[in-house]
Amino acid sequence: MITAQAIFIGFFGVAAVWFGIVVFRTFSMVRSAIALLFSQTALGAMFLTMQAEFLGVLQIMMMATEMSIMAFFMVMFMMDPGGMGKMEMTHQKHFSMIAGVVAFVGAVAIAVFIDWGPIANTVADSAEQTKALGLELLGRSMLIFETAAVTILTAMIAAIAVAIKPIPREEAKDKA
Amino acid sequence: MSVELIWALITGAALFGVGIYGALSQTNLVMIMMGVELILAGALINLVAFWRYLHPDVAAGQMFVLIVMTVMALEMAVGFGVAIARFRSRGSVEMEEAAELKE
């Protein structure tokens, strides 16, 4: 049966995929970053439709920040950020297209032909979900959660170490 | 069989396919990272759909989503660090010009 939830999931799903395609179809890098932002926001809206309020809001907030930073980097690093010159920035297009289609068809076949078992029609309200998630993170899954925290710290240090301008050896010796 | 679950999984499959295309076809490091973001977005929607329609009583499903979101943020942070280092040393983040990394 088609419910309002199914209609909204379909609508936001089409929006997410459409903006995902636009990311690689536009020549302007800023438009590309904004299209990815819209795609991720549509995904967040899908989470909200699926009654995962906390994750939906988190997804939208995180991606808005992440894509704004990405847009800055696009303008800094691209040879033609405005896309005015319509530069071709792709390679092995045919192979990539086939790989993408095969991945899509394979995943759809799994989604459609597998028996997923009984479907849950009801879900706890958002306050209960957030409480259960908090208890999960600080209880049974604490080790995984803490590992993620240490990994973030390591990645932050690694990213800064890689990005920082290296001081020439002689200059470093003089400073010492 | 739930229509909502199937539509969510098809959306995930489509995002995964588009992401694969982007990650393999683009020559610029930042655009490749965008492809990887779409691949992870496909995984995210699947995880949320499985949690919502198959096991809404198990909070570990949401925890997995948080872990994937962490991976997305880390991929961006480290990717941009590498992009800055590459741009500083070679003046470009085009992967066609990075063949010497294979040697």
Side-chain angles (χ1 to χ4, degrees), chain A:
Chain A
M1 200 179 92
I2 305 285
T3 58
Q5 193 180 44
I7 293 168
F8 279 109
I9 288 177
F11 174 75
F12 289 124
V14 169
V17 174
W18 171 250
F19 283 117
I21 293 169
V22 169
V23 170
F24 302 112
R25 281 189 59 89
T26 177
F27 287 103
S28 162
M29 294 305 114
V30 178
R31 276 185 201 162
S32 197
I34 290 171
L36 189 58
L37 168 63
F38 285 163
S39 173
Q40 301 283 3
T41 306
L43 213 63
M46 277 181 87
F47 294 176
L48 292 176
T49 311
M50 286 193 272
Q51 292 162 283
E53 278 92 348
F54 175 69
L55 295 177
V57 172
L58 189 68
Q59 166 81 2
I60 293 170
M61 278 168 56
M62 244 184 85
M63 290 305 149
T65 325
E66 207 173 307
M67 293 311 136
S68 317
I69 298 169
M70 194 169 235
F72 278 118
F73 273 84
M74 297 291 255
V75 174
M76 283 195 295
F77 289 147
M78 297 303 238
M79 283 180 278
D80 180 22
M84 306 299 277
K86 298 200 185 305
M87 270 177 71
E88 180 63 33
M89 287 190 301
T90 54
H91 61 173
Q92 53 182 11
K93 230 173 168 174
H94 196 64
F95 168 72
S96 311
M97 189 77 83
I98 292 171
V101 171
V102 167
F104 170 67
V105 172
V108 168
I110 291 168
V112 172
F113 294 116
I114 281 188
D115 175 23
W116 294 107
I119 298 296
N121 290 318
T122 55
V123 65
D125 64 50
S126 55
E128 278 299 312
Q129 281 177 36
T130 314
K131 186 182 166 192
L133 180 61
L135 291 172
E136 175 74 29
L137 290 176
L138 298 176
R140 205 167 61 109
S141 303
M142 192 170 209
L143 187 64
I144 302 167
F145 188 50
E146 290 301 322
T147 311
V150 175
T151 314
I152 291 173
L153 180 66
T154 315
M156 277 163 63
I157 295 168
I160 293 167
V162 168
I164 212 160
K165 193 176 182 181
I167 306 169
R169 208 164 272 197
E170 291 304 311
E171 209 176 297
K173 265 185 195 170
D174 292 344
K175 276 188 181 170

Side-chain angles (χ1 to χ4, degrees), chain B residues 21-102:
Chain B
Y21 165 77
L24 291 176
S25 70
Q26 299 299 308
T27 58
N28 191 288
L29 178 60
V30 185
M31 291 299 285
I32 294 171
M33 277 161 55
M34 286 194 163
V36 176
E37 288 279 315
L38 283 173
I39 292 172
L40 290 171
L44 269 185
I45 193 69
N46 279 16
L47 284 171
V48 174
F50 287 142
W51 164 79
R52 169 61 185 86
Y53 297 109
L54 300 183
H55 301 287
D57 49 334
V58 184
Q62 291 208 8
M63 198 270 302
F64 270 119
V65 177
L66 289 181
I67 297 293
V68 175
M69 280 184 181
T70 310
V71 171
M72 284 170 107
L74 295 185
E75 173 246 325
M76 290 275 289
V78 177
F80 283 137
V82 172
I84 290 174
R86 180 78 196 163
F87 195 81
R88 190 168 277 145
S89 64
R90 294 286 188 277
S92 153
V93 286
E94 285 294 311
M95 289 297 102
E96 299 262 282
E97 297 164 16
E100 84 270 9
L101 291 175
K102 285 189 209 163

